[in-house]
Amino acid sequence: MVKNICCIGAGYVGGPTMAVIAEMCPEIKVTVVDVNANRIDAWNSADLDKLPIYEPGLAEVVRAARGRNLFFSTDIENAIDEAEIIFMSVNTPTKNYGKGKGMGADLKYIELSARQIAKVAKTDKIVVEKSTLPVRTAAAIKSILDNTGNGVKFQILSNPEFLAEGTAINDLKNADRVLIGGDQTDEGLAAIEKLTAIYVHWIPRHKIIQTNVWSSELSKLTANAFLAQRISSINSISAICEKSGADVDEVARAIGADSRIGAKFLKTSVGFGGSCFQKDILNLVYICKTLGLPEVADYWEQVILMNDYQKHRFADNIITTLYNTVSGKKIAFLGWAFKKDTNDTRETAAMYVADILMNDLAEITAYDPKVNQEQMYADMDYLHSRTEDENRKLLKADTSPYSACKSAHAIAVLTEWDEFISYDWQRIYDNMMKPAFVFDGRNILDHKKLREIGFKVRAIGK
Ligand code: UDX
Ligand code: ADP
């Protein structure tokens, strides 16, 4: 029975996943390590509101397990040395330089951790890929471990994480399935069983799918590609709806009632964001190209192109509707996170829409319940579209939605936070420039009520 595990990388995946394993398996010591000392300090902070990531239910899980069998530390070497199973949950961003730039995954953090494991390990280890990785990364990790190690035996497993942000704790506790891929040798199968034994503490065994390593790696990319494809598909239909008088929400309900299609992931939006969908599809596209499958690459790339189109369409609609100029006009953003119930802003549609409007010299005031001004500036600076000074001049964050909307010509809803629905919309209307426009990028508000107040409403796909 495994007694000691560790996880390299205390981010959105590593942190919540290990916290749930620790809560469910009190007899296993779980240590989460990271090179970022600030992040580890935040995980250890006495005030649970100060954890580095926001996830409903996470604080309760951390409260139950931290200090008992869940530990956060920067002592990576010691944690590797003690652990029988090491999870790798470091970031794998899209490469922004050299070969595969803009498409392939940057595996430098994975490689660094593999080398660190190789250097430190004195006993046999099971190394588990948790981060989303290109197919065949396990083989690369294995070759690093086998060639620089100290004669220690390693088994590499792929155990991709399917949690979605904002529902991470529920997704982890009530997973549809757990996927574990490993070598189909006696040692590989034994390693798969060891990891399975951890999950069966709370996941029914029939939901644990065991495969070979490559199937597991490819399944993760495929799952995200299919999910993103559904959103791009319904968003493409939203454009037809706007020109034809059909209502995209009605179309989604009508097709979703077909049990073969299913109702989930058919919500039209200003475009999907998040750290996974775009990165994983680009990864798939890159793999197709390197495997000599350009037609397959083009097929999947279209999902990304449609998503870019949707963000542009939304921003262009704001400019056109505001009499073809937003220069010097205040536009209020409600929401900045890439979806509700998270403070994560990676690839959020909000920053791309802001970028297009700021190119036209709009003055944006953004309010998000969980994202602060510093993060918004970091996102805009990351785009490198203009100087940092210009970003600070054209974009301001507000801590109140009411003052964010005050004197604005238009409101753009970028994230579907529940609280937006219950605002005092009459008060917001009274304090805006007229005509007062609402561009609902999530179709969450009561458009009939807003029109009765006097707003001019533009929704997606209506
Ligand atoms: C996704 C996958 O769902 C998860 O299984 C995987 O492990 C990581 O990637 P995540 O990115 O956290 O999770 O959130 P998700 O709920 O999938 O939403 C992604 C984006 O799609 C968000 O911007 C969301 O607003 C958007 N979306 C989602 C829609 O626009 N319409 C929908 O119907 C669903
Ligand atoms: P994800 O969404 O995949 O969890 P994050 O960026 O939130 O990605 O988290 C990845 C974490 O991995 C970061 O906190 C980063 O500091 C950490 N990390 C990256 N490389 C290493 C490394 N070699 N050793 C330890 N931690 C690392």
Side-chain angles (χ1 to χ4, degrees):
M1 193 64 196
V2 172
K3 286 265 162 287
N4 208 315
I5 66 176
C6 89
C7 173
I8 306 180
Y12 281 90
V13 173
T17 310
M18 292 302 126
V20 168
I21 291 182
E23 189 192 21
M24 297 299 183
C25 312
E27 79 283 10
I28 301 178
K29 181 178 174 194
V30 180
T31 308
V32 190
V33 291
D34 203 295
V35 279
N36 181 339
N38 290 335
R39 212 165 210 192
I40 291 299
D41 285 348
W43 279 109
N44 282 322
S45 71
D47 180 355
L48 290 171
D49 285 338
K50 299 226 163 73
L51 294 182
I53 64 176
Y54 171 73
E55 270 300 330
L58 174 64
E60 288 70 25
V61 177
V62 170
R63 183 185 295 120
R66 198 177 59 187
R68 179 188 72 186
N69 63 325
L70 174 65
F71 302 93
F72 295 93
S73 161
T74 50
D75 190 349
I76 302 176
E77 299 208 343
N78 189 45
I80 292 174
D81 182 33
E82 283 186 349
E84 295 150 77
I85 301 185
I86 301 163
F87 292 84
M88 285 174 134
S89 202
V90 299
N91 33 339
T92 50
T94 302
K95 229 176 147 190
N96 60 3
Y97 56 90
K99 191 163 180 280
K101 181 178 175 189
M103 282 207 168
D106 191 343
L107 296 181
K108 80 177 163 208
Y109 304 106
I110 287 282
E111 183 170 339
L112 279 171
S113 347
R115 290 191 187 279
Q116 200 158 16
I117 295 170
K119 191 178 99 195
V120 174
K122 297 195 281 290
T123 51
D124 294 354
K125 310 273 183 209
I126 297 172
V127 176
V128 183
E129 303 173 346
K130 258 284 165 215
S131 329
T132 310
L133 296 165
V135 181
R136 295 206 164 254
T137 305
I141 298 176
K142 187 156 177 50
S143 122
I144 292 172
L145 291 174
D146 286 348
N147 288 304
T148 54
N150 338 328
V152 171
K153 285 212 180 93
F154 294 102
Q155 276 301 321
I156 320 293
L157 300 179
S158 160
N159 172 219
E161 190 42 69
F162 295 105
L163 67 82
E165 289 176 30
T167 52
I169 300 301
N170 184 51
D171 294 345
L172 286 162
K173 289 189 173 175
N174 305 302
D176 285 342
R177 77 328 204 161
V178 166
L179 178 57
I180 304 177
D183 278 353
Q184 301 297 299
T185 56
D186 287 349
E187 296 86 355
L189 294 171
I192 293 176
E193 273 311 314
K194 276 197 173 172
L195 185 54
T196 301
I198 293 181
Y199 285 107
V200 290
H201 280 75
W202 76 99
I203 303 286
R205 194 171 259 274
H206 71 270
K207 290 190 172 182
I208 301 179
I209 302 172
Q210 303 179 339
T211 66
N212 76 33
V213 178
W214 304 304
S215 303
S216 171
E217 289 178 332
L218 185 58
S219 299
K220 169 69 186 183
L221 295 185
T222 308
N224 276 344
F226 270 58
L227 290 169
Q229 183 192 44
R230 281 173 72 93
I231 303 169
S232 277
S233 297
I234 198 70
N235 283 344
S236 76
I237 301 300
S238 78
I240 305 179
C241 288
E242 284 167 34
K243 297 233 183 259
S244 69
D247 177 325
V248 72
D249 289 330
E250 290 180 351
V251 174
R253 188 152 54 94
I255 64 166
D258 184 327
S259 61
R260 292 168 305 174
I261 296 175
K264 292 182 182 167
F265 262 72
L266 286 181
K267 182 78 190 150
T268 193
S269 66
V270 49
F272 61 73
S275 68
C276 287
F277 284 171
Q278 171 152 323
K279 182 185 79 176
D280 287 358
I281 293 175
L282 287 174
N283 218 321
L284 195 59
V285 169
Y286 185 63
I287 291 167
C288 294
K289 287 187 174 163
T290 54
L291 295 177
L293 302 169
E295 291 82 1
V296 186
D298 290 348
Y299 176 76
W300 285 109
E301 191 165 23
Q302 200 58 39
V303 174
I304 303 279
L305 297 179
M306 184 52 61
N307 198 47
D308 290 340
Y309 170 69
Q310 188 76 347
K311 291 180 273 192
H312 270 94
R313 221 163 59 76
F314 183 77
D316 291 345
N317 187 20
I318 296 180
I319 299 173
T320 319
T321 308
L322 294 184
Y323 317 106
N324 283 320
T325 175
V326 287
S327 171
K329 290 182 181 167
K330 179 173 173 182
I331 315 279
F333 272 30
L334 291 182
W336 189 273
F338 82 97
K339 61 188 271 194
K340 73 174 180 179
D341 293 337
T342 177
N343 61 346
D344 194 349
T345 64
R346 287 177 286 180
E347 291 301 324
T348 180
M351 71 178 177
Y352 292 103
V353 173
D355 192 42
I356 298 167
L357 296 177
M358 284 157 75
N359 281 342
D360 265 49
L361 303 176
E363 294 178 5
I364 295 171
T365 307
Y367 165 78
D368 186 289
K370 292 284 173 198
V371 182
N372 60 26
Q373 182 161 275
E374 201 187 348
Q375 183 60 50
M376 293 177 193
Y377 287 146
D379 293 337
M380 295 315 298
D381 294 344
Y382 158 87
L383 291 180
H384 294 298
S385 297
R386 59 190 72 71
T387 65
E388 296 189 2
D389 280 351
E390 282 165 336
N391 281 334
R392 279 145 192 79
K393 215 169 87 196
L394 293 173
L395 171 69
K396 302 266 182 298
D398 206 312
T399 50
S400 149
Y402 294 98
S403 57
C405 297
K406 192 161 183 253
S407 307
H409 288 259
I411 294 171
V413 179
L414 276 311
T415 313
E416 71 281 24
W417 287 99
D418 292 335
E419 65 171 62
F420 297 164
I421 298 164
S422 54
Y423 286 169
D424 181 348
W425 283 95
Q426 181 69 55
R427 180 179 154 202
I428 291 176
Y429 178 79
D430 291 344
N431 290 316
M432 280 178 69
M433 303 297 284
K434 305 295 176 325
F437 289 94
V438 170
F439 295 86
D440 190 350
R442 295 289 185 166
N443 288 0
I444 52 159
L445 300 177
D446 183 341
H447 299 157
K448 186 163 167 273
K449 193 179 107 190
L450 292 183
R451 288 198 175 100
E452 279 164 14
I453 292 174
F455 281 106
K456 298 206 175 297
V457 180
R458 300 285 184 273
I460 305 258
K462 301 208 183 238

